[in-house]
Amino acid sequence: MRILKYAILGLLYNEKLTGYDITSKFKGPLGQFWTAKHSQIYPELRKLTDEGFIQYEVVVQGTKLEKKVYEITSLGEKELSEWLEKVERDSSVNKDEFMLKTYFISAMEKEEAYDLFNDQLVKRKENLSKLQKTLSLLEEDEIPITFSSPQFGHYLVLTRAIEREKGYIVWLEKTIDLLK
């Protein structure tokens, strides 16, 4: 399944965007739980255009620079809606290199394992701090966070990410105590 297809359709459902704008979204809030590279996005935009799910307008910026501004079509909205309503059997995608290393911890020296876990703890605490700052900014916005607000989905994903990081930190601290 082409999940990137639906991520792009969802972004374009909210607003018209250039390919550059879409790439930037994956470096922002969306990137907290889903990633895509420039080299994946542009071929997907071509496919979506060919399938009639999106269309674009060429806009001239300055004297020579042309850029494509994409928008979702009614067919694209229907496709997005069908995907959103579809119940998935298992939506978890787990590729966590740190957990893979943890699984094989018996192949490490105790000091190496301790360093690995301490490094991960520092990274998780930094990530938690960034997420909490983002949440504070979102909550400071003058638009109340309700189901109908455009930021509601971001709020839900952000609060889940914060809880995930808090749980991860607790587990890391307990594991470090075991390694001492």
Side-chain angles (χ1 to χ4, degrees):
M1 179 182 278
R2 292 169 32 212
I3 301 296
L4 179 57
K5 163 186 176 176
Y6 299 107
I8 291 172
L9 289 175
L11 289 170
L12 293 175
Y13 180 82
N14 291 324
E15 61 186 319
K16 296 178 182 180
L17 298 166
T18 65
Y20 177 81
D21 296 332
I22 292 168
T23 301
S24 296
K25 296 282 185 182
F26 283 98
K27 294 176 183 171
L30 189 61
Q32 293 168 357
F33 60 93
W34 201 267
T35 60
K37 295 177 182 149
H38 178 272
S39 60
Q40 296 170 294
I41 293 169
Y42 283 91
E44 190 63 39
L45 287 170
R46 280 191 291 282
K47 288 179 191 173
L48 290 168
T49 302
D50 292 345
E51 294 166 333
F53 295 134
I54 64 172
Q55 59 191 17
Y56 63 86
E57 175 184 1
V58 176
V59 176
V60 177
Q61 189 176 19
T63 56
K64 295 182 181 180
L65 182 64
E66 289 184 355
K67 61 182 182 177
K68 294 177 182 176
V69 179
Y70 294 91
E71 67 180 321
I72 193 169
T73 63
S74 57
L75 184 63
E77 287 180 4
K78 183 176 184 264
E79 181 75 5
L80 177 63
S81 179
E82 288 173 5
W83 174 72
L84 288 170
E85 293 169 8
K86 186 177 177 183
V87 177
E88 297 295 323
R89 293 185 189 271
D90 181 18
S91 62
S92 63
V93 176
N94 266 341
K95 286 190 177 179
D96 186 334
E97 186 177 350
F98 173 73
M99 291 308 289
L100 185 61
K101 288 179 179 182
T102 299
Y103 188 79
F104 297 113
I105 196 168
S106 61
M108 287 184 218
E109 296 294 324
K110 190 174 184 180
E111 188 62 36
E112 290 172 333
Y114 184 79
D115 290 345
L116 178 70
F117 275 78
N118 271 315
D119 180 63
Q120 188 67 206
L121 180 60
V122 168
K123 289 176 182 172
R124 293 292 174 159
K125 285 182 174 180
E126 288 171 357
N127 195 37
L128 176 61
S129 177
K130 288 177 191 174
L131 291 168
Q132 288 171 327
K133 285 177 187 171
T134 303
L135 179 61
S136 292
L137 292 172
L138 192 63
E139 290 175 333
E140 287 174 8
D141 199 350
E142 293 180 19
I143 301 170
I145 298 172
T146 63
F147 181 78
S148 59
S149 72
Q151 296 295 337
F152 188 63
H154 184 199
Y155 173 80
L156 292 176
V157 170
L158 191 55
T159 54
R160 172 63 188 112
I162 288 169
E163 291 306 312
R164 178 197 65 220
E165 292 303 317
K166 286 180 178 178
Y168 217 130
I169 289 167
V170 168
W171 175 77
L172 286 165
E173 289 171 340
K174 286 179 181 178
T175 304
I176 289 169
D177 285 343
L178 287 173
L179 292 171
K180 287 182 181 176

